[in-house]
Amino acid sequence: MEQTMFTNEVILSWLQYFSQNAPINLAKLKMLDITGKNKNLIPTVMSNRAVLVFTDAGHPDIFYDMWNAELGDCDIWYNEGSDPSGGIKHDKVSDMINRGINASAAMLILNPNAATNYQIGMENSRFSCGSVQYVCREVRAVIMSKLNLGDQDNICIISGESIAVEAAIIAAEGSVIAVEYDRRDRITMKCNVDKFGLSNVIIVESLENGILDELPAPDIAFIVGSPRIGSEIKTLLAINPDMDFVIYTLDFEILTSLPALFRENGLERTEAIHIEVSRVNSKKMAEPFPAPWLISARSAKDSSNRSLNNTGVCKGDLI
């Protein structure tokens, strides 16, 4: 269990303090302790109307970052000091951008504009402009559905920036290793991390030199197919032999090479889907987007029971 300065007794005392002094419904309250690692404050506030935040000292830009993320209209309820006692104050985030946190304490953040119906597949306009050509939101929504992430999952994402952002928001108590080989793409990834206030994204430039040995072992990997895919799969399986994979490709040669590559690495394809998206443009013409393949795979020993039909015969490869 992760150690924290906010024990159950301390949390209960702060809950009582705010329930007596602020307009709060405890039944609808989200609590977040950002004294630990990988805690995303900004996405949490964006998607919850009331967040009780437990924090330590040393966050000089916390309110500026919230304001920069278009959360300036949020109300902050707080007191002076580290104890749940005394008078309470409240201000807009926009009035607190030059302040920081200089003591361990709790604060209540109320966001009347919270997007409580968060849906996967964000608009591309929300991501930082830069070197990356983002996949259309409909394809991203399918990718996120196939990844099927839990809040504590660890995931490795290779050359998939917008996927890394949405994965980090969903896996709020896990971690995302974002592999970006191109320096320009790493800069854009860093801009997205800052823009969305993500604390659980680790940006690396490759999988070489044992870089994964010091990082949380991924449970699942999302890979944009490239000539490196064979070595990428081998490296990831050396870290976690039971890792699941979702592979994105527009390249026919990479697509047709996957069955042999899976057999070589003891993997079995679990699903293969082709996605085609078109939109009607301003000229009332159907405008198609790139149509990728998404190939899912996992360890053959884990999926052997799932790959048998009712007669006990293994299903054949489709690609």
Side-chain angles (χ1 to χ4, degrees), residues 265-284:
N265 289 280
L267 297 174
E268 184 169 276
R269 178 192 50 77
T270 56
E271 190 173 29
I273 62 175
H274 192 216
I275 309 172
E276 295 184 7
V277 177
S278 296
R279 290 181 185 168
V280 178
N281 60 23
S282 59
K283 297 180 181 180
K284 300 182 180 180

Side-chain angles (χ1 to χ4, degrees), residues 20-41:
Q20 293 173 347
N21 294 282
I24 180 177
N25 183 344
L26 294 179
K28 298 181 179 180
L29 181 67
K30 170 72 175 182
M31 292 189 292
L32 182 69
D33 183 349
I34 63 172
T35 61
K37 297 180 180 179
N38 301 346
K39 304 300 182 182
N40 294 329
L41 173 65

Side-chain angles (χ1 to χ4, degrees), residues 42-178:
I42 289 174
T44 302
V45 175
M46 284 181 171
S47 58
N48 291 274
R49 292 193 177 94
V51 182
L52 183 57
V53 181
F54 301 98
T55 179
D56 49 1
H59 300 273
D61 300 319
I62 188 170
F63 300 116
Y64 176 81
D65 291 341
M66 289 178 62
W67 174 80
N68 199 40
E70 301 181 357
L71 294 171
D73 287 337
C74 292
D75 288 302
I76 307 292
W77 292 76
Y78 62 101
N79 71 346
E80 299 290 348
S82 299
D83 299 318
S85 60
I88 197 167
K89 300 181 179 181
H90 76 277
D91 293 291
K92 294 285 187 184
V93 167
S94 56
D95 297 322
M96 300 177 70
I97 59 175
N98 294 322
R99 299 185 58 172
I101 304 293
N102 54 20
S104 61
M107 61 180 173
L108 175 65
I109 304 177
L110 302 182
N111 180 13
N113 302 315
T116 55
N117 61 334
Y118 171 78
Q119 297 178 349
I120 59 176
M122 292 189 293
E123 290 284 359
N124 284 358
S125 59
R126 295 188 60 187
F127 298 102
S128 296
C129 297
S131 58
V132 177
Q133 183 176 357
Y134 298 109
V135 68
C136 69
R137 63 176 300 188
E138 292 83 2
V139 171
R140 189 183 315 109
V142 176
I143 292 171
M144 297 308 302
S145 174
K146 295 306 174 185
L147 289 173
N148 191 29
L149 296 175
D151 62 346
Q152 296 182 338
D153 283 344
N154 298 321
I155 179 170
C156 179
I157 296 178
I158 300 177
S159 302
E161 289 210 3
S162 60
I163 307 302
V165 170
E166 292 216 31
I169 293 173
I170 295 171
E173 297 185 21
S175 63
V176 175
I177 301 170

Side-chain angles (χ1 to χ4, degrees), residues 190-226:
K190 180 63 166 60
C191 291
N192 275 315
V193 166
D194 293 340
K195 182 173 184 178
F196 287 91
L198 303 174
S199 299
N200 58 341
V201 176
I202 305 161
I203 305 172
V204 299
E205 63 182 36
S206 74
L207 296 177
E208 297 176 355
N209 301 320
I211 194 167
L212 295 182
D213 294 342
E214 305 299 324
L215 301 177
D219 309 299
I220 185 169
F222 173 81
I223 303 175
V224 175
S226 76

